[in-house]
Amino acid sequence: MLRSALALLLVAPASVASAFDVGREVIQPYGISGSTGPELYASIGEKGPLIGQTRVIAHTTFKLTWSRDYTHDGSACVLSRAVPNLVITYTLPREPASLDRTVRFHWQAFISGITAHEKVHGQHIRTMTAEIEAASLGLRVENDPQCQKIRQELNRRLKEISDRKREKDRIFEQEEMKDGGNVQRLILALVNGG
């Protein structure tokens, strides 16, 4: 099983062909309060999910499990079936009830942008899953009658794929979170406009 967490800190996609279902998405909202942009952002800072010791605006996690079958072909071991089960969870702040019209307008622009940001991470997860499937299905290791070497080779491939995904996420976060980046603009528009 692979688990990962990606986060938007409180600081100022290529696709791969795959037979797997795109997975299931879950939105996990958390409550905030306030009636102005600054109050809403302050509430996010107080109530946002924790990643380690850091409060974040939103984050994306996933649970990826596999159903795999290994078969023998002489002394070779072949991964004959690799079916993923993917659940992506987006943790996002929930709009408080009864915001006035102007604040709601700025909130909706903010949460739409934050959601779009998190969905990029979701796409990275889907791409990784498709790459794992492609690297797994039909994998064959000779002289492996106990199907032990194939698992080692599979783990090596999975690590490479997972490392590439983490690097894509890191580069994306760096671009989004820089001064003048998309996330800073979203925060400033909420705080200054609402």
Side-chain angles (χ1 to χ4, degrees):
M1 174 173 63
L2 292 174
R3 286 189 183 266
S4 180
L6 305 165
L8 281 176
L9 301 175
L10 289 171
V11 297
S15 65
V16 173
S18 172
F20 95 94
D21 175 339
V22 295
R24 188 168 58 104
E25 289 187 331
V26 176
I27 304 291
Q28 183 176 326
Y30 67 91
I32 60 168
S33 59
S35 59
T36 67
E39 289 172 356
L40 295 171
Y41 188 65
S43 184
I44 289 169
E46 294 168 1
K47 299 177 182 177
L50 277 171
I51 303 294
Q53 299 295 316
T54 306
R55 289 268 176 212
V56 296
I57 296 169
H59 69 99
T60 300
T61 58
F62 69 95
K63 181 178 179 183
L64 176 59
T65 57
W66 292 86
S67 295
R68 293 186 177 109
D69 288 334
Y70 296 89
T71 57
H72 293 93
D73 183 10
S75 66
C77 183
V78 179
L79 205 165
S80 56
R81 186 173 79 93
V83 179
N85 180 16
L86 175 63
V87 179
I88 300 171
T89 302
Y90 303 104
T91 302
L92 298 161
R94 179 179 42 240
E95 175 183 338
S98 67
L99 291 179
D100 78 28
R101 185 180 194 181
T102 301
V103 176
R104 176 170 284 118
F105 172 81
H106 291 289
W107 171 261
Q108 288 174 344
F110 171 79
I111 197 63
S112 292
I114 295 298
T115 300
H117 173 97
E118 293 302 318
K119 294 283 185 161
V120 171
H121 290 303
Q123 185 55 50
H124 290 174
I125 293 164
R126 284 189 185 85
T127 299
M128 177 194 70
T129 303
E131 289 175 352
I132 290 170
E133 183 185 41
S136 301
L137 197 55
L139 178 62
R140 177 186 183 95
V141 174
E142 299 297 330
N143 300 315
D144 190 16
Q146 301 301 316
C147 290
Q148 296 301 315
K149 294 177 190 174
I150 197 168
R151 287 177 170 85
Q152 292 171 356
E153 175 59 18
L154 182 59
N155 285 337
R156 185 190 66 74
R157 291 178 181 202
L158 299 183
K159 182 181 181 323
E160 288 176 4
I161 294 167
S162 180
D163 288 349
R164 279 197 306 269
K165 179 214 158 287
R166 274 196 286 281
E167 181 63 9
K168 280 188 348 188
D169 284 332
R170 187 192 66 74
I171 291 168
F172 175 66
E173 282 294 311
Q174 197 171 42
E175 183 63 26
E176 288 277 291
M177 303 294 280
K178 71 181 181 183
D179 284 344
N182 184 50
V183 172
Q184 185 182 59
R185 288 192 309 268
L186 289 168
I187 292 167
L188 289 175
L190 174 66
V191 171
N192 295 332

